[in-house]
Amino acid sequence: MKSIKNKIFKIIQPADNSSVLSKMFDLVIVTLILINTVTIIAATFSLSALKIRIFLIIEIVSVIIFSVEYILRLWTADLLYPEKKPFIARIKLFFSPMAIVDLLAILPFYIPFLLPIDLRILRLIRLLRLFRLFKMNRYTSGLSSIGNVLKKKSDQLVSSIFVVFLLMIISSVIMYYFENPVQPDVFSNAFSGLWWAISTFTTVGYGDIYPLTVAGKIFSAIIALLGIGLVAVPTGIISAGFMENIEDNNKQLTEDNIAKIREILEKYDSKNL
């Protein structure tokens, strides 16, 4: 049983260059994810009864495969976290971001069977099927890099976004006092100008909410200029994170290549001796 478990664990983990079965498994999962994405988009059009039936079959097959994958990942969690007890390892995996994505990808199929739900709510729940697209993160290096960068720079990103959000709140309150006497319907309370603050800080400027007073216009201009710099801060942090990630990957590749060359030289020397 343990040897079977080890084999399954190696297959369901992202493939390395030596594992054919793991590559085949990854290919099947990625193909299913892409097919499901196409069917979700196609479902927004008017379809014939035959196409609806085909899409339902695809949905059932996909859910079965994704469910088996999810169960196998929970079963082999103790191999992923060997330093922890099996139960603790499964709990840790269950609450991991990718495991949550896996669960959300299959949950909409089972909810109607478990709970009586209004059809309008069911349509909203079915939107969770789009989470299947995020499963690609496990099988593509590009999406994995984005996740690694966001995780590595999370503290800096949260700090910068919090500062921007705080300034938006302050700007919304100030604009309320400037514009409420002139536009009581538009700026009815301190938070009614928050949409204006977001569109101004990001320099989008939809024009649906705008100041009429001189003080409001001057303040809006200042906020727009500040927004150019402040909103660019998170972008700069992410860009720096990508550069660091590329450098780390290049360094790792160099170290791996050096290790392989040393291994080859050692084998060559041992043969000559």
Side-chain angles (χ1 to χ4, degrees), residues 38-69:
V38 172
T39 59
I40 290 168
I41 295 169
T44 61
F45 295 87
S46 297
L47 301 172
S48 64
L50 177 62
K51 289 179 180 178
I52 292 172
R53 199 176 298 114
I54 292 170
F55 286 172
L56 180 60
I57 293 169
I58 292 172
E59 172 76 5
I60 293 170
V61 172
S62 300
V63 168
I64 291 171
I65 294 173
F66 290 151
S67 299
V68 171
E69 179 203 8

Side-chain angles (χ1 to χ4, degrees), residues 11-15 22 25-27 29-30 33 66 69 73 98 102 134-144:
I11 291 171
I12 65 176
Q13 290 307 304
S22 186
F25 177 81
D26 290 356
L27 182 62
I29 296 296
V30 170
I33 292 168
F66 290 151
E69 179 203 8
R73 290 191 184 281
M98 281 309 302
D102 289 341
F134 289 100
K135 286 167 68 66
M136 294 281 286
N137 182 60
R138 186 182 283 120
Y139 308 101
T140 54
S141 58
L143 290 174
S144 297

Side-chain angles (χ1 to χ4, degrees), residues 78 81-89 92:
D78 54 321
Y81 305 110
E83 73 284 356
K84 298 186 180 297
K85 294 180 179 179
F87 178 76
I88 301 298
K92 184 176 180 179

Side-chain angles (χ1 to χ4, degrees), residues 47-249:
L47 301 172
S48 64
L50 177 62
K51 289 179 180 178
I52 292 172
R53 199 176 298 114
I54 292 170
F55 286 172
L56 180 60
I57 293 169
I58 292 172
E59 172 76 5
I60 293 170
V61 172
S62 300
V63 168
I64 291 171
I65 294 173
F66 290 151
S67 299
V68 171
E69 179 203 8
Y70 181 73
I71 293 168
L72 289 176
R73 290 191 184 281
L74 286 176
W75 183 47
T76 59
D78 54 321
L79 298 177
L80 184 63
Y81 305 110
E83 73 284 356
K84 298 186 180 297
K85 294 180 179 179
F87 178 76
I88 301 298
R90 291 184 179 96
I91 293 295
K92 184 176 180 179
L93 180 66
F94 181 82
F95 287 104
S96 65
M98 281 309 302
I100 292 171
V101 169
D102 289 341
L103 183 61
L104 290 174
I106 60 175
L107 204 57
F109 181 83
Y110 295 110
I111 286 178
F113 297 104
L114 301 173
L115 299 170
I117 295 178
D118 186 271
L119 289 176
R120 290 170 294 180
I121 299 174
L122 182 60
R123 291 192 191 99
L124 292 175
I125 292 173
R126 282 176 178 168
L127 289 175
L128 291 175
R129 292 183 300 169
L130 288 171
F131 274 89
R132 291 173 190 173
L133 197 57
F134 289 100
K135 286 167 68 66
M136 294 281 286
N137 182 60
R138 186 182 283 120
Y139 308 101
T140 54
S141 58
L143 290 174
S144 297
S145 297
I146 294 173
N148 292 334
V149 169
L150 293 177
K151 186 176 180 180
K152 191 182 293 183
K153 297 291 182 180
S154 59
D155 292 340
Q156 298 175 32
L157 282 171
V158 169
S159 299
S160 61
I161 292 171
F162 176 74
V163 170
V164 172
F165 181 73
L166 194 63
L167 289 173
M168 284 181 181
I169 296 293
I170 294 170
S171 301
S172 176
V173 174
I174 293 172
M175 186 58 74
Y176 164 77
Y177 284 105
F178 284 153
E179 295 297 319
N180 177 260
V182 180
Q183 304 182 76
D185 294 334
V186 177
F187 294 90
S188 56
N189 55 61
F191 292 103
S192 57
L194 189 58
W195 173 245
W196 162 85
I198 292 170
S199 61
T200 305
F201 259 99
T202 55
T203 67
V204 174
Y206 287 110
D208 53 343
I209 299 176
Y210 54 88
L212 296 178
T213 63
V214 175
K217 289 178 180 178
I218 293 171
F219 183 69
S220 185
I222 294 169
I223 292 301
L225 292 172
L226 283 173
I228 295 171
L230 287 172
V231 175
V233 172
T235 306
I237 292 170
I238 293 172
S239 300
F242 275 116
M243 293 303 296
E244 291 175 10
N245 192 60
I246 291 169
E247 290 177 3
D248 291 342
N249 288 339

